[in-house]
Amino acid sequence: MSERRSNASPGRAALRLNPQHTLFEALSYLLTRGLSCVPVGEVEADTRFLSARTLLQAWRDGLPGETPIARLSLDTTASESGETLGAEALINGLPLLLWMKDRDGRFLIVNRSFAEACGQPEPMAVIGRTDRALWPAEVAAAQRADDLEVMASGHPRTRVEQLPRQGATLWFETFKAPVRGRDGQIIGTLGFACDVNERLLAEDEARRGQQRLADVLATIGEGLWEWDLASGTFRHNGVWCRMLGRNVDALEHALDGFLALVHPEDRDEVASALEGGLRDGCHTIEYRLRHADGDPIWVRDRGGVVESDPDGRPRRVVGSVTDITALRITSEALHESQTRYQQVFECVQEVIFQTDIHGHWQLLNPAWEHISGHAVADSLGHSFLDYLHPDDREARREALRPLVERHADSCTATLRLIHRDGSLRWVDLAVRAVVDNDDCLIGTSGTLTDATARVAAEDYLRLTASVFRHARESIVITDPQSRILEVNDSFCAVTGYRRDEVIGRNSRMLHADLNDETFYAGMSEALRTSGVWQGETCSRRKNGELFVQLGNISAVRNEAGQTTHYVGLFSDITELKENQRQLEHLAYHDSLTQLPNRALLADRMQMALAQAERNGSLAAVAYLDLDGFKPVNDRLGHATGDRLLIEIARRLQASTRTGDTVARLGGDEFALIYNGLEHSDECEQVFQRLLATIARPIHIDGHELRVTASIGVTLCPLDGSDPDTLLRQADQAMYLAKQNGRNAYHLFNPERDRQLRAQRDAQIRIESALRAGELELHYQPKIDTRSNRLIGVEALIRWKHPELGLRLPGEFLPAVSESGFEIDLGNWVLATAVTQLDAWRGAGTTTTMSVNISARHLAHPDFVPHLKQLLDAHPELDPGLLELEVVESPTLGDMADTARVMAACNALGVSFALDDFGTGHSALTSLRRLPVRSIKIDRSIIHNMLDDADDMAAVQGMIGLASAFKREVIAEGVETPRHRQALLRLGCHLIQGHGIAHPMPAARMQRWMRAYATRH
């Protein structure tokens, strides 16, 4: 840190500035006195004026704060009033930090740059605060000490120091001066800080550069000389003396003394070069100097005029001398080498080439014509790619990529060359990069070698070695006496012996002694007569373990027909045989229960069919599915579930006779075949006994488990003779048994089968319609007839059938009733309706929406969690805008369970309505036990109420019942003004129907709602 005190700061009574005052002092003077212009100089005639504008420009030009005013371009006259720059503009326009404090260190004035340096958004955030509120404690203490010192001395001071700024510590040139009041007393301090971090870094770099230059000149390896023409003296550095083996006495001498050291044969040339250098300004020459030991050394001398007199005559010449003796020797040797290289270049059998950066040949030797058949002259300027096989061109590019991208300096590749006659030649390509001084690729050089014969031999050897080494079969080569000569890796892996443990030993070491001598005699006879033996052998591994091999032994004979070797190929088939046994079992048995699986069941069914047709009897094919197995699996885990299945399998097997079949189809599904039945009535006794057996309690790990079964039964050949058909029919019958209450069996009915197939086809078509986007929701408004206010809309599903047009729900929903797809479809309707409701809310249209939910969907265990997840996905939507409509019918199931589900939905904010009220089995029970907000009178009753007294009485009774239970009542199917008026007289003012509006798509519904709101 450096510091300078100003001894020439302007006093309180000073009227002008001294030209040697610094920019800091001038700025302090203008700011503390509120001036925009101040005179500079002592003599009136020489007075110049420093304006705030000039001072501001100096700062913007990057002049240091210590710069004297005299270096500025001062004005000859004071600034006109219209051109003055006020103190505020000066403060905020300065490219430095500026502040003013009172005696207690509180900031009175700061500019924006200072506020930003303190991390504050604007100057007012700093005014009134002290350094301790802005800086770290040690920095604040140092600043306060500086302020006290400046106020105590009464003089300004300038210092270069490090200060924090925006999270970093930078170098600043700071200036502080006392501020005096009108009575001359010091009332505070004024300060500026200029960021000089870059300037100091530049100065430091310049100093380091000068030092590096000095170091280079001190250690340079060339001889330096200076020729002073005024005195005629030559001066040399120490390197020059050491180069010539001379002492320091030779550092300085006259021109003649220098020329005396030049080889006599070169002296005139050197003198002429020196004279030409004086005329042209520089010279370069190579010549010989006499070494102290008498031997000449070759040097390269470069010199130039560095100083001339006013008339342009040279005064001083400097230069350098480099010892090039070794270079000259090398050059001469290179010339000789070049001659030899040319001879090699012409005669070598390898192609030598050079290319430019684009890969075009610039140099080729005659070997090219021998390998390719193309003349060298015709090939120059072409690329190697032009002669390569098309399939190898990309390989060549990939091989050269490391060179092009400068990841490597050399690379190799073996490629196919197309000879002029059309044949292919393999060549070895070796390429090296040719680069410039910046390591940029400017070309390549390398060789091409004909490798056709080598590649063919290598391919053959590689193929042979690869077959031997990587063959999955064990290969063993023996001599005629069965001594092992070579084995491959597979042999060692199979037998457990290392190669060195078997080489030289007799192959009989592997025999397991399970094959008698007759077996080996037959092997020898086959080899002697035909030269080949094939078969299975049982051998023994090194650890004594037995294994089975499938082998092939061939005799290798010489030209005389004598056997020289035996080559054996063996495959270890031990695991294969074991796997075959296990696979045969696994292929036909269930892995958990060990019962026959579907594949073996089909075979047993074929046998049962054949037996029934042959004996004129019946066979019952049963499809069994456990009731209540999933809760056990979910509650106690899969391990317990598996043990339960094993026990059920055991009971099923115990309930069948010899010749009958029990199979597991997967999960908790089983199939059974009962053979030898005389008539269908026997099924009653058989399957009732089986149901009772399954229903008995099962104890596992302290748990008493109870499951039952639903069984479907089909008889063959009465119901068919195809195993797949019979199993499908039994499955359908089982499904009916589940629908009828479970823990029962059901005999297959062909007519019911046809109905189920038709229903399934229709269901599949509806599923595809949902995936294809053919299903959509339409919306029908509901209004209050007393106020003509829209109270909500009902979402109604429609099918835009590509062939049949728009289809209503009654035309397709029955096909999916009571199916698994009914839940998926219901979830889609619910999600689509909620998304549309939220979209209307976002567009500024808020209304309630009712959505129809089937009883089966409502009873699904995941209904409430799914509804909550759906509402959570639309956090801005009020759940109270959603109402779920359920049909009041027996399908609602257990009232207590339904009420619990509704209560859980009510807790989410969702309300309920009873749809088609009055058509169910117990309207009063529904109203009393279910937490519904409203009831909807079915359209069939509303339609006839004006013409049928019973329907009118029914409507009046349902309105009264709803009123008694404090429920809203909505009339559906209102189509005429007469219906509307009649309902209003009866006390029902909430209606919907074609008399209000038909159901319509979402976009049209939104426009309808806006238009309706405008009209009413």
Side-chain angles (χ1 to χ4, degrees):
M1 183 180 294
S2 63
E3 180 177 351
R4 181 188 70 81
R5 290 190 179 276
S6 173
N7 295 320
S9 62
R12 178 174 177 271
L15 298 178
R16 59 183 65 229
L17 289 175
N18 189 299
Q20 297 307 314
H21 281 155
T22 66
L23 298 184
F24 277 138
E25 293 168 337
L27 180 59
S28 174
Y29 190 88
L30 290 178
L31 289 177
T32 55
R33 287 161 177 76
L35 300 176
S36 63
C37 183
V38 63
V40 179
E42 297 294 339
V43 182
E44 193 69 26
D46 295 331
T47 298
R48 295 287 187 273
F49 294 88
L50 173 64
S51 66
R53 191 177 304 280
T54 301
L55 187 59
L56 180 59
Q57 187 60 45
W59 285 108
R60 290 176 176 170
D61 290 341
L63 293 178
E66 288 290 275
T67 304
I69 299 173
R71 292 182 55 184
L72 305 182
S73 297
L74 302 177
D75 300 328
T76 57
T77 59
S79 301
E80 296 296 331
S81 60
E83 299 176 348
T84 60
L85 189 66
E88 182 177 355
L90 183 60
I91 289 171
N92 291 319
L94 287 169
L96 47 72
L97 313 184
L98 180 147
W99 67 92
M100 183 182 290
K101 306 178 191 174
D102 61 14
R103 290 192 63 87
D104 295 326
R106 288 187 294 270
F107 288 94
L108 304 176
I109 298 173
V110 299
N111 65 354
R112 185 168 297 277
S113 296
F114 183 87
E116 291 174 353
C118 299
Q120 301 300 325
E122 57 184 5
M124 289 305 298
V126 181
I127 302 302
R129 303 173 74 178
T130 65
D131 287 310
R132 282 187 294 177
L134 301 174
W135 312 108
E138 63 274 12
V139 175
Q143 294 300 320
R144 182 58 181 161
D146 285 351
D147 293 344
L148 293 175
E149 179 182 352
V150 167
M151 290 189 291
S153 66
H155 295 286
R157 71 108 181 92
T158 302
R159 174 180 298 168
V160 176
E161 60 186 348
Q162 285 185 303
L163 293 175
R165 183 177 186 182
Q166 297 179 351
T169 302
L170 304 176
W171 285 101
F172 285 85
E173 184 179 40
T174 60
F175 173 86
K176 288 186 179 180
V179 178
R180 300 179 185 274
R182 294 181 179 179
D183 56 359
Q185 296 299 315
I186 296 175
I187 62 173
T189 59
L190 176 69
F192 319 104
C194 179
D195 186 347
V196 295
N197 203 64
E198 292 185 3
R199 191 186 80 197
L200 292 181
L201 290 174
E203 291 174 356
D204 185 61
E205 181 60 28
R207 285 192 296 272
R208 287 198 297 269
Q210 291 175 353
Q211 183 60 46
R212 286 195 297 268
L213 179 58
D215 294 339
V216 169
L217 291 176
T219 60
I220 193 167
E222 293 188 351
L224 303 180
W225 55 266
E226 178 187 22
W227 182 16
D228 186 348
L229 275 74
S231 63
T233 305
F234 266 85
R235 299 183 182 87
H236 303 275
N237 66 348
V239 175
W240 190 88
C241 293
R242 290 193 296 273
M243 188 186 302
L244 297 177
R246 301 183 182 277
N247 55 32
V248 295
D249 296 339
L251 286 175
E252 183 176 329
H253 42 252
L255 176 60
D256 293 342
F258 166 69
L259 292 175
L261 297 175
V262 178
H263 193 282
E265 297 178 3
D266 301 336
R267 201 167 292 162
D268 292 342
E269 186 179 0
V270 171
S272 177
L274 290 175
E275 183 178 348
L278 294 177
R279 181 179 62 254
D280 301 332
C282 63
H283 73 270
T284 300
I285 185 173
E286 294 181 3
Y287 57 90
R288 288 165 289 181
L289 282 174
R290 185 160 40 84
H291 194 272
D293 60 9
D295 293 330
I297 64 170
W298 278 95
V299 297
R300 180 179 293 115
D301 192 333
R302 299 182 182 89
V305 177
V306 297
E307 184 179 346
S308 302
D309 61 16
D311 296 328
R313 290 188 295 270
R315 282 184 176 177
R316 191 161 62 92
V317 182
V318 298
S320 65
V321 175
T322 305
D323 186 350
I324 62 170
T325 305
L327 182 62
R328 294 287 295 218
I329 295 173
T330 301
S331 178
E332 293 173 359
L334 183 61
H335 177 71
E336 296 178 4
S337 175
Q338 182 67 27
T339 302
R340 291 193 297 271
Y341 167 76
Q342 189 65 32
Q343 295 173 348
V344 173
F345 182 77
E346 298 290 341
C347 300
V348 73
Q349 296 301 306
E350 290 183 338
V351 177
I352 301 173
F353 66 85
Q354 284 186 347
T355 74
D356 59 16
I357 192 172
H358 304 295
H360 297 145
W361 272 321
Q362 296 175 319
L363 176 69
L364 281 170
N365 67 336
W368 167 249
E369 185 170 354
H370 173 73
I371 289 180
S372 69
H374 296 279
V376 171
D378 296 338
S379 302
L380 291 176
H382 288 273
S383 170
F384 185 34
L385 289 174
D386 298 337
Y387 304 95
L388 277 181
H389 189 283
D391 294 344
D392 289 358
R393 290 173 184 171
E394 185 60 29
R396 183 262 187 188
R397 291 190 184 95
E398 289 299 318
L400 267 63
R401 188 182 300 277
L403 261 66
V404 175
E405 297 178 354
R406 302 303 301 119
H407 299 317
D409 292 326
S410 62
C411 63
T412 60
T414 301
L415 307 166
R416 286 171 293 179
L417 180 72
I418 302 177
H419 194 272
R420 186 177 183 181
D421 61 11
S423 61
L424 294 179
R425 298 286 184 89
W426 283 96
V427 293
D428 288 333
L429 171 67
V431 188
R432 179 169 293 276
V434 178
V435 298
D436 59 15
N437 293 335
D438 296 325
D439 197 39
C440 293
L441 187 71
I442 61 175
T444 64
S445 64
T447 62
L448 292 171
T449 306
D450 190 341
T452 306
R454 176 180 60 79
V455 169
E458 288 177 351
D459 285 346
Y460 178 78
L461 292 175
R462 189 181 301 111
L463 178 62
T464 304
S466 179
V467 169
F468 183 78
R469 184 170 58 254
H470 298 112
R472 298 183 59 182
E473 294 83 0
S474 299
I475 301 177
V476 56
I477 302 175
T478 71
D479 62 12
Q481 289 72 42
S482 297
R483 286 190 295 268
I484 299 175
L485 303 178
E486 188 60 86
V487 295
N488 68 346
D489 294 344
S490 294
F491 175 91
C492 298
V494 170
T495 64
Y497 288 100
R498 296 193 311 273
R499 177 179 176 276
D500 61 319
E501 291 178 324
V502 297
I503 297 300
R505 299 181 63 182
N506 195 289
S507 61
R508 291 188 178 182
M509 61 178 289
L510 301 173
H511 292 177
D513 298 330
L514 296 182
N515 298 315
D516 55 23
E517 289 300 324
T518 303
F519 173 82
Y520 292 110
M523 178 189 295
S524 299
E525 180 61 22
L527 290 172
R528 186 183 65 80
T529 57
S530 64
V532 177
W533 173 88
Q534 292 180 330
E536 291 184 8
T537 62
C538 185
S539 302
R540 192 180 301 277
R541 306 186 202 274
K542 181 180 179 180
N543 60 7
E545 179 184 338
L546 297 178
F547 67 101
V548 181
Q549 294 187 104
L550 178 63
N552 180 306
I553 302 176
S554 300
V556 180
R557 296 188 170 108
N558 58 20
E559 295 179 357
Q562 298 172 328
T563 299
T564 60
H565 301 87
Y566 289 111
V567 177
L569 280 77
F570 298 92
S571 297
D572 184 353
I573 59 172
T574 307
E575 186 176 354
L576 179 63
K577 282 187 166 294
E578 177 62 22
N579 288 343
Q580 183 178 353
R581 185 191 65 78
Q582 293 179 3
L583 287 174
E584 287 176 355
H585 181 81
L586 291 175
Y588 297 106
H589 292 81
D590 172 56
S591 60
L592 176 65
T593 62
Q594 303 306 312
L595 293 176
N597 61 10
R598 223 177 252 274
L600 184 55
L601 174 67
D603 184 64
R604 297 283 179 86
M605 289 176 68
Q606 291 283 15
M607 294 172 60
L609 284 167
Q611 181 180 341
E613 292 177 354
R614 185 172 57 251
N615 299 334
S617 59
L618 298 176
V621 177
Y623 199 111
L624 183 152
D625 184 271
L626 295 180
D627 307 322
F629 173 74
K630 186 177 185 301
V632 173
N633 217 27
D634 293 343
R635 181 167 56 91
L636 300 179
H638 293 292
T640 300
D642 288 347
R643 293 174 64 184
L644 175 60
L645 291 174
I646 293 172
E647 173 59 22
I648 293 296
R650 188 193 64 77
R651 292 185 181 185
L652 293 176
Q653 284 181 305
S655 68
T656 57
R657 304 161 299 176
T658 303
D660 294 339
T661 299
V662 179
R664 184 186 178 208
L665 303 179
D668 58 347
E669 296 178 339
F670 297 85
L672 300 95
I673 304 175
Y674 288 93
N675 294 304
L677 300 180
E678 296 297 330
H679 50 77
S680 59
D681 293 342
E682 294 183 51
C683 293
E684 175 73 21
Q685 182 180 2
V686 170
F687 290 107
Q688 287 296 349
R689 185 173 61 250
L690 183 61
L691 289 171
T693 300
I694 295 173
R696 292 201 311 268
I698 298 174
H699 298 275
I700 298 176
D701 294 336
H703 299 284
E704 182 177 284
L705 308 179
R706 293 179 181 270
V707 294
T708 58
S710 296
I711 305 174
V713 182
T714 185
L715 299 174
C716 61
L718 295 180
D719 295 334
S721 58
D722 175 64
D724 290 338
T725 301
L726 290 170
L727 199 59
R728 177 177 57 80
Q729 293 170 349
D731 183 21
Q732 292 173 0
M734 180 274 295
Y735 180 70
L736 293 176
K738 278 193 177 292
Q739 284 188 323
N740 293 333
R742 305 186 177 187
N743 192 24
Y745 82 95
H746 189 88
L747 275 173
F748 171 74
N749 185 313
E751 180 59 31
R752 175 62 175 167
D753 178 53
R754 284 190 291 274
Q755 295 174 357
L756 288 176
R757 279 203 303 269
Q759 183 177 5
R760 180 56 183 161
D761 291 343
Q763 179 181 328
I764 291 173
R765 178 63 186 92
I766 299 171
E767 290 178 7
S768 66
L770 178 61
R771 291 192 298 270
E774 297 173 7
L775 301 183
E776 63 180 21
L777 295 186
H778 286 197
Y779 304 89
Q780 186 176 41
K782 298 182 287 189
I783 66 168
D784 186 335
T785 57
R786 292 185 306 186
S787 61
N788 280 329
R789 180 175 57 87
L790 178 71
I791 63 168
V793 299
E794 179 180 1
L796 299 166
I797 191 169
R798 295 290 187 267
W799 182 0
K800 294 177 65 177
H801 198 288
E803 299 169 356
L804 303 178
L806 193 67
R807 302 185 67 189
L808 300 179
E811 299 178 61
F812 61 89
L813 285 186
V816 299
S817 177
E818 298 300 320
S819 69
F821 178 67
E822 181 183 20
I823 307 302
D824 296 336
L825 182 60
N827 286 334
W828 175 85
V829 170
L830 194 58
T832 304
V834 171
T835 301
Q836 184 59 61
L837 191 60
D838 197 18
W840 283 342
R841 177 203 59 76
T845 303
T846 302
T847 185
T848 61
M849 181 187 293
S850 57
V851 180
N852 292 287
I853 299 296
S854 71
R856 188 167 181 267
H857 190 187
L858 185 67
H860 194 275
D862 293 334
F863 180 79
V864 176
H866 178 78
L867 178 61
K868 182 179 185 306
Q869 183 180 9
L870 182 60
L871 293 173
D872 289 344
H874 300 273
E876 301 297 326
L877 180 65
D878 179 8
L881 297 176
L882 180 64
E883 182 181 64
L884 303 180
E885 293 187 7
V886 294
V887 176
E888 186 266 323
S889 69
T891 58
L892 279 177
D894 185 83
M895 281 291 178
D897 291 340
T898 303
R900 280 194 294 272
V901 174
M902 288 184 172
C905 294
N906 290 159
L908 297 177
V910 178
S911 60
F912 280 87
L914 276 179
D915 198 8
D916 296 346
F917 189 72
T919 62
H921 65 299
S922 180
L924 181 61
T925 301
S926 300
L927 276 182
R928 183 171 59 85
R929 301 186 62 182
L930 298 179
V932 297
R933 184 175 68 181
S934 57
I935 64 174
K936 301 185 73 174
I937 304 176
D938 184 63
R939 67 181 66 249
S940 63
I941 302 175
I942 296 295
H943 182 73
N944 297 321
M945 63 178 285
L946 299 179
D947 303 319
D948 190 315
D950 291 339
D951 282 347
M952 176 66 79
V955 170
Q956 189 172 6
M958 283 184 279
I959 294 173
L961 190 62
S963 176
F965 281 94
K966 296 181 174 55
R967 302 287 196 271
E968 292 180 346
V969 60
I970 302 174
E972 293 183 305
V974 178
E975 298 181 352
T976 67
R978 293 179 59 216
H979 286 90
R980 180 172 177 170
Q981 294 300 323
L983 287 167
L984 188 59
R985 287 195 302 271
L986 293 175
C988 177
H989 53 89
L990 306 181
I991 64 173
Q992 74 178 92
H994 292 174
I996 308 301
H998 285 73
M1000 61 193 83
R1004 221 169 83 201
M1005 184 71 246
Q1006 186 173 0
R1007 292 194 297 271
W1008 188 94
M1009 288 189 289
R1010 289 175 177 170
Y1012 188 84
T1014 303
R1015 294 195 305 269
H1016 299 87

